[in-house]
Amino acid sequence: MNFQMNNDIKAVLYSKEQIDEVARDLGERITKDFEGKNPLVICVLKGAVLFMADIVRQIDTYCELDFMDVSSGEVKIIKDLDVSVKGRNVLIVEDIIDTGRTLASLVELLKSRDAASVKICTLLDKPDRRVKTVKPDYVGFEVPN
């Protein structure tokens, strides 16, 4: 299936092969870090769905999946989790971390719900744009502003 690039896209920054390689590497690291911990992998809708699918295919330990939809700006939960995070090791999968506002609020929310741990995996990280302190544990690519 061929897809045509939109007119507003100037260039492709990362090839499918590069993203596949990053997903494999991150999957291996996540597998080691979460071995035997039955992590709850939370996908932040909708942007992270495809990246999360790439990542979880590479994780070689049992994990459970759930989804949240969170508006950016004034952080508001549009779709909440279907399961409790209490006592769970949580891995948030995000497509891109920019200012960090939304993710900082989400991490705070999950900790307030008594998650045992909260880690972050992102395909793209833009640390130069950060206004909230958010440090992802697993980063595919660091990108400039």
Side-chain angles (χ1 to χ4, degrees), residues 42-65:
I42 298 173
C43 176
V44 180
L45 295 172
K46 298 179 180 139
V49 170
L50 296 177
F51 179 56
M52 186 193 79
D54 290 344
I55 291 292
V56 296
R57 279 193 289 265
Q58 302 302 323
I59 297 174
D60 191 22
T61 189
Y62 181 81
C63 60
E64 188 176 351
L65 309 180

Side-chain angles (χ1 to χ4, degrees), residues 26 29-30 33-34 91 119-123 136-140:
L26 292 174
R29 288 182 48 212
I30 291 166
D33 292 350
F34 285 96
L91 176 66
K119 293 194 175 197
I120 300 166
C121 177
T122 187
L123 176 60
D137 302 277
Y138 310 96
V139 175

Side-chain angles (χ1 to χ4, degrees), residues 14 18 33 39 49 59 63 77-78 90 96 101 114 118 126-127 138 144-145:
Y14 302 103
Q18 288 172 301
D33 292 350
V49 170
I59 297 174
C63 60
I77 297 173
I78 297 166
V90 173
I96 185 167
R101 286 186 184 110
D114 296 324
V118 179
K126 275 189 185 180
Y138 310 96
N145 184 15

Side-chain angles (χ1 to χ4, degrees), residues 40 42 66-68 77 79-88 90 105-116 118:
L40 176 62
I42 298 173
D66 207 342
F67 302 85
M68 285 188 90
I77 297 173
K79 189 249 178 253
D80 206 343
L81 299 171
D82 293 327
V83 299
S84 171
V85 298
K86 186 174 181 138
R88 300 289 304 268
V90 173
S105 294
L106 185 54
V107 168
E108 184 179 314
L109 174 68
L110 296 173
K111 287 181 177 179
S112 77
R113 292 180 178 180
D114 296 324
V118 179

Side-chain angles (χ1 to χ4, degrees), residues 119-134:
K119 293 194 175 197
I120 300 166
C121 177
T122 187
L123 176 60
L124 303 172
D125 186 23
K126 275 189 185 180
D128 292 342
R129 291 265 304 151
R130 206 77 87 240
V131 296
K132 289 283 191 176
T133 303
V134 174

